[in-house]
Amino acid sequence: MRVLIVGGGGREHTLAWKLAQSPLLERLYCAPGNAGISAVAECVDIAADDIEALKKWALEQRIDLTVVGPEVPLVLGIADLFRQAGLKIFGPDSKGAMLEGSKVWSKRKMKQWGIPTAGFTIFDDFEDARNHLARFYGGQVVIKADGLAAGKGVTVASGPEEAEQALYDIMIERAFGDAGKRVVIENCLSGDEVSVLAVTDGSRLIVLPSSQDHKAIGEGDKGPNTGGMGAYSPAPIYTEELARRTEAEVFRPLLDGFKEMGVDFRGVIYAGLMVSDEQFNVLEFNVRFGDPEAQAIIPRMRSDLLPLLAAAAEGDLKDIEPRWKDDSAVCVVLASGGYPGKYEKGHIIKGLDGLDAGGEENVAVFHAGTVLKDEQLVTAGGRVLGVTAWDSDLKKAVDRVYSAVDKITFKGCYFRRDIAHRAL
Ligand code: AMP
Ligand code: GLY
């Protein structure tokens, strides 16, 4: 099969790394890819959001399957466009992608379909939103920009002052552009988070092993949210009972609702759950693999990934039964100092020899923001690398991953030392 991956981050490197091992693969391309991806796939210089150019290229190259990594092309309608052109693609249509593309849409659908989620109110006027904050005196409140904001549009505020600042930044300063036209103000939930990803053909579901992300920049989950600073899989708090309930109370109503609306959802549904003793709620939905969750989940896959993605794209998962390792996996993200705020680029990365490309047993380095400059690997983004290790238990995987991480250096390198701490 001739396969194209769309995107160029750590998640796409993980998908490329796994697909490159498939005996069914003939050629692997990635647009735009990155320096790490170029070791396993041919990188194509087309941006992930240039969906017309991607379609033209995929037709010319007779691509058999396109796998979409990030949310932006999905929200822009890449799946609609490809399918109209007769191209097979893994990813939901633009209506389905609204589940991630609009928090307002997503919250309304959760309410309509009876999916458990935090109580909320929607505002398109700053003054009205600000007045509403008075209800939260003495407590926490969550402010969400309506549209895509690269994982940074949500503020969990410790009180109304911080919430008002977030409202101001979103609605008046337009820190996230048009995503600030509307906001969701919602009740703050507490507990443990778990990311549950399911591959679907629109009717059937294959739920992947659970994982837990670490969204905050600082150790102990302090500081502003990022795209994700590390992840591990499986997450012990995702019990069999919770898995059964999530399928019945979250995924099923969602797929039934989509069917009723005529949504063509062939791809990944990602449910971010908040779990406490008594209950669980959906914090967010995404319509793609998580980043860095994919870096912790996919290395645990024993069977071939390509038949799973191809069958979902064809709309028939009937004969697919993926197999998984019993191992635990941990991914630690190495970021540029200053991220998720301002950071420098162009610093030389050292220490990857012997770690990359399976040089060290049960370790893989997935590139997120890297580029080759004068034959040297340099930093090119906020999240630079994701290092994943897997082992027979979580403690061993944690030791293995940090021993690999400690070999890598670049100026300003920042990472969290406490990935997976909650499960140990
Ligand atoms: P979202 O993009 O909606 O998942 O929000 C990003 C992160 O903000 C989540 O992973 C949580 O850590 C946090 N968050 C979102 N909604 C809530 C909520 N209602 N209560 C507490 N934390 C939340
Ligand atoms: N790691 C969170 C996300 O992919 O949205």
Side-chain angles (χ1 to χ4, degrees):
M1 256 197 252
R2 296 167 63 78
V3 178
L4 167 67
I5 298 171
V6 176
R11 163 186 47 213
E12 289 76 25
H13 191 181
T14 313
L15 291 167
W17 171 84
K18 182 67 181 169
L19 290 176
Q21 298 166 29
S22 172
L24 302 173
L25 187 77
E26 193 186 314
R27 285 294 277 274
L28 185 59
Y29 299 93
C30 188
N34 63 33
I37 294 172
S38 65
V40 285
E42 206 169 302
C43 293
V44 183
D45 190 19
I46 305 176
D49 59 1
D50 193 350
I51 63 175
E52 281 289 347
L54 288 168
K55 180 193 81 175
K56 191 163 166 277
W57 186 89
L59 282 170
E60 280 164 14
Q61 296 293 324
R62 302 178 324 280
I63 295 298
D64 300 305
L65 175 68
T66 298
V67 179
V68 186
E71 59 278 14
V72 172
L74 292 168
V75 171
L76 291 175
I78 192 172
D80 317 56
L81 196 67
F82 272 53
R83 286 185 190 127
Q84 280 157 18
L87 290 162
K88 227 172 271 166
I89 186 162
F90 181 83
D93 67 6
S94 54
K95 245 195 278 172
M98 287 282 279
L99 194 63
E100 176 165 3
S102 166
K103 301 267 187 212
V104 168
W105 195 90
S106 169
K107 291 292 287 190
R108 284 186 174 146
K109 289 297 171 196
M110 285 191 242
K111 193 170 169 188
Q112 181 187 344
W113 296 332
I115 296 170
T117 191
F120 66 99
T121 317
I122 294 160
F123 295 94
D124 59 13
D125 180 79
F126 175 72
E127 286 305 325
D128 291 347
R130 191 170 68 162
N131 291 335
H132 183 75
L133 292 178
R135 295 166 183 240
F136 295 92
Y137 263 97
Q140 289 181 301
V141 55
V142 181
I143 312 289
K144 298 184 173 183
D146 182 33
L148 293 179
K152 293 157 205 157
V154 174
T155 300
V156 179
S158 53
E161 295 78 21
E162 196 185 336
E164 190 173 322
Q165 184 63 51
L167 273 184
Y168 186 84
D169 293 345
I170 293 170
M171 299 189 88
I172 306 293
E173 292 286 332
R174 290 294 169 98
F176 308 107
D178 279 352
K181 280 188 184 159
R182 290 187 296 182
V183 291
V184 176
I185 299 186
E186 72 177 45
N187 298 337
C188 189
L189 303 170
S190 58
D192 275 298
E193 285 184 49
V194 57
S195 304
V196 189
L197 281 63
V199 171
T200 180
D201 58 10
S203 313
R204 297 178 192 83
L205 272 173
I206 293 179
V207 182
L208 311 185
S210 62
S211 62
Q212 190 177 58
D213 186 11
H214 296 61
K215 290 202 168 77
I217 186 72
E219 284 166 14
D221 298 319
K222 301 275 177 357
N225 273 343
T226 68
M229 292 302 295
Y232 64 94
S233 171
I237 67 157
Y238 194 66
T239 58
E240 267 176 44
E241 167 67 4
L242 185 55
R244 195 189 56 70
R245 289 192 60 190
T246 304
E247 193 156 340
E249 296 171 40
V250 177
F251 289 125
R252 272 294 137 208
L254 193 65
L255 285 183
D256 291 346
F258 277 160
K259 202 157 254 180
E260 220 164 88
M261 287 179 63
V263 167
D264 185 353
F265 206 115
R266 293 178 246 170
V268 172
I269 305 175
Y270 162 140
L273 307 182
M274 181 73 93
V275 181
S276 66
D277 292 342
E278 319 83 54
Q279 54 185 347
F280 75 102
N281 282 285
V282 175
L283 293 174
E284 65 165 339
F285 281 116
N286 295 319
V287 296
R288 44 154 181 94
F289 286 103
D291 185 340
E293 286 93 332
Q295 290 88 309
I297 296 170
I298 289 173
R300 296 187 56 220
M301 192 173 191
R302 198 184 287 287
S303 47
D304 190 350
L305 177 64
L306 188 45
L308 171 66
L309 303 185
E314 272 159 30
D316 190 2
L317 281 172
K318 185 166 73 269
D319 298 322
I320 305 291
E321 247 181 275
R323 285 171 293 112
W324 301 91
K325 299 174 192 163
D326 289 330
D327 289 1
S328 291
V330 184
C331 171
V332 175
V333 170
L334 279 60
S336 299
Y339 174 79
K342 283 204 179 68
Y343 55 83
E344 293 173 3
K345 292 182 190 176
H347 295 309
I348 295 168
I349 303 167
K350 289 192 182 139
L352 287 187
D353 302 342
L355 286 179
D356 242 348
E360 183 134 336
E361 212 183 331
N362 295 5
V363 173
V365 180
F366 300 119
H367 294 221
T370 66
V371 71
L372 279 171
K373 207 171 159 190
D374 305 326
E375 289 178 29
Q376 247 171 344
L377 189 69
V378 300
T379 64
R383 291 190 289 176
V384 177
L385 298 168
V387 182
T388 299
W390 52 100
D391 212 318
S392 53
D393 69 40
L394 189 62
K395 174 78 177 64
K396 285 187 191 149
V398 167
D399 291 344
R400 193 183 280 278
V401 79
Y402 281 108
S403 113
V405 164
D406 284 332
K407 293 179 180 145
I408 303 170
T409 54
F410 56 86
K411 191 177 164 210
C413 174
Y414 171 81
F415 60 90
R416 280 179 60 168
R417 275 267 166 214
D418 65 344
I419 302 303
H421 66 289
R422 275 171 180 265
L424 286 176

